[in-house]
Amino acid sequence: MKSRKKSRRGLRFAAALLSMGILCLCVAGFVTSQSGLSSAVSLPFGLGTSQADTSLGWNLILVNKDHRIPANYKVDLVELSNGEKVDSRIYPELQSMFDDARADGLALFVREGYRTRKEQEQIMDERVVQYQAQGYSKAEAGKLAREYVAVPDTSEHQLGLSVDINADTSKCSSDAVYNWLAENAWKYGFIKRYPADKVDITGISNEPWHYRYVGKEAAQEMQQSGMCLEEYVKEKETS
């Protein structure tokens, strides 16, 4: 009799373990499906990040590999003449910057403005596929892609506060535009978001075309101190 009871207990215990295992698999599957991450980007890339802090103001929200865009973040967009979109709050200064650059003889345009999460996923996928076509493994391709492309929900383009600015090379050189921006963008509240000497902090390789709006006061302070956004926000949070 005792042996039968023990046998039943063992069977019940085994069944409980099996149920727990199935439950864990279901939860894992749900998380994977809800994460929205595409097949080219494995799930762990988007995990382990905290929600971006908005306490310093909308213009200083820090989004990067460690800080994801808040789930309830809303963007009020305005459409530019070429169809690209940006947060309506940065439009006046962006237009003023472009007017002055053109007055200095430069031909420039916003190549990339606001992106949806789906668009960011597609860009990441395409970059991973490109590296795989060059012979890299999927893991290696993903690592290389993340040096230039932000994982979905960690991209500033999804905020509408960043723009990729290119030159019309039939009228002026890219270097002329990049040099002008490096010297003048801060006057309009924009910073070069990913400088060559801050790669170890930003985690993104040098992008002379990528500019982020932070406001005139913050941009001037960063220009004078040489800090990138990560350093500036950290200083503000601890001061």
Side-chain angles (χ1 to χ4, degrees), residues 13-162:
F13 181 69
L17 287 177
L18 179 61
S19 298
M20 289 176 64
I22 293 172
L23 178 60
C24 288
L25 287 173
C26 290
V27 171
F30 176 79
V31 170
T32 301
S33 64
Q34 294 300 308
S35 69
L37 289 178
S38 56
S39 59
V41 184
S42 61
L43 183 62
F45 293 170
L47 298 181
T49 56
S50 61
Q51 183 167 283
D53 183 14
T54 58
S55 63
L56 294 178
W58 65 270
N59 56 306
L60 290 177
I61 182 173
L62 175 62
V63 170
N64 57 21
K65 60 184 176 62
D66 298 317
H67 301 85
R68 68 180 183 275
I69 298 171
N72 61 348
Y73 191 82
K74 303 296 183 183
V75 184
D76 180 29
L77 299 170
V78 60
E79 187 170 319
L80 308 180
S81 59
N82 67 348
E84 292 297 321
K85 298 176 182 179
V86 297
D87 188 304
S88 61
R89 293 169 291 189
I90 79 170
Y91 176 75
E93 294 300 340
L94 180 66
Q95 185 62 59
S96 179
M97 181 168 71
F98 269 54
D99 288 343
D100 289 347
R102 287 166 178 155
D104 285 343
L106 298 175
L108 68 171
F109 65 98
V110 173
R111 177 65 178 271
E112 291 279 348
Y114 171 77
R115 292 180 193 148
T116 64
R117 190 186 198 282
K118 185 176 181 180
E119 289 171 333
Q120 189 65 29
E121 286 180 349
Q122 183 177 355
I123 291 171
M124 174 62 85
D125 285 351
E126 290 173 351
R127 184 61 69 93
V128 170
V129 169
Q130 288 174 4
Y131 283 124
Q132 285 183 296
Q134 295 174 24
Y136 293 99
S137 69
K138 186 175 180 180
E140 292 170 335
K143 182 177 180 180
L144 288 168
R146 295 195 305 279
E147 292 180 4
Y148 289 97
V149 181
V151 171
D153 287 340
T154 68
S155 169
E156 287 194 331
H157 282 288
Q158 290 177 246
L159 295 174
L161 302 179
S162 290

Side-chain angles (χ1 to χ4, degrees), residues 141-216:
K143 182 177 180 180
L144 288 168
R146 295 195 305 279
E147 292 180 4
Y148 289 97
V149 181
V151 171
D153 287 340
T154 68
S155 169
E156 287 194 331
H157 282 288
Q158 290 177 246
L159 295 174
L161 302 179
S162 290
V163 287
D164 289 347
I165 302 173
N166 287 174
D168 179 348
T169 53
S170 67
K171 299 178 181 178
C172 70
S173 70
S174 294
D175 284 343
V177 168
Y178 298 156
N179 290 338
W180 190 95
L181 290 171
E183 294 176 6
N184 298 285
W186 64 272
K187 301 173 186 175
Y188 308 87
F190 290 85
I191 59 166
K192 181 180 176 182
R193 182 66 179 89
Y194 304 117
D197 61 343
K198 300 293 182 177
V199 175
D200 59 325
I201 299 175
T202 65
I204 301 292
S205 295
N206 177 41
E207 292 190 355
W209 54 82
H210 185 109
Y211 276 78
R212 156 69 190 267
Y213 185 82
V214 294
K216 290 184 178 180

Side-chain angles (χ1 to χ4, degrees), residues 1-8:
M1 191 72 176
K2 288 182 180 180
S3 62
R4 288 182 180 178
K5 288 183 178 179
K6 289 181 179 179
S7 177
R8 291 194 194 101

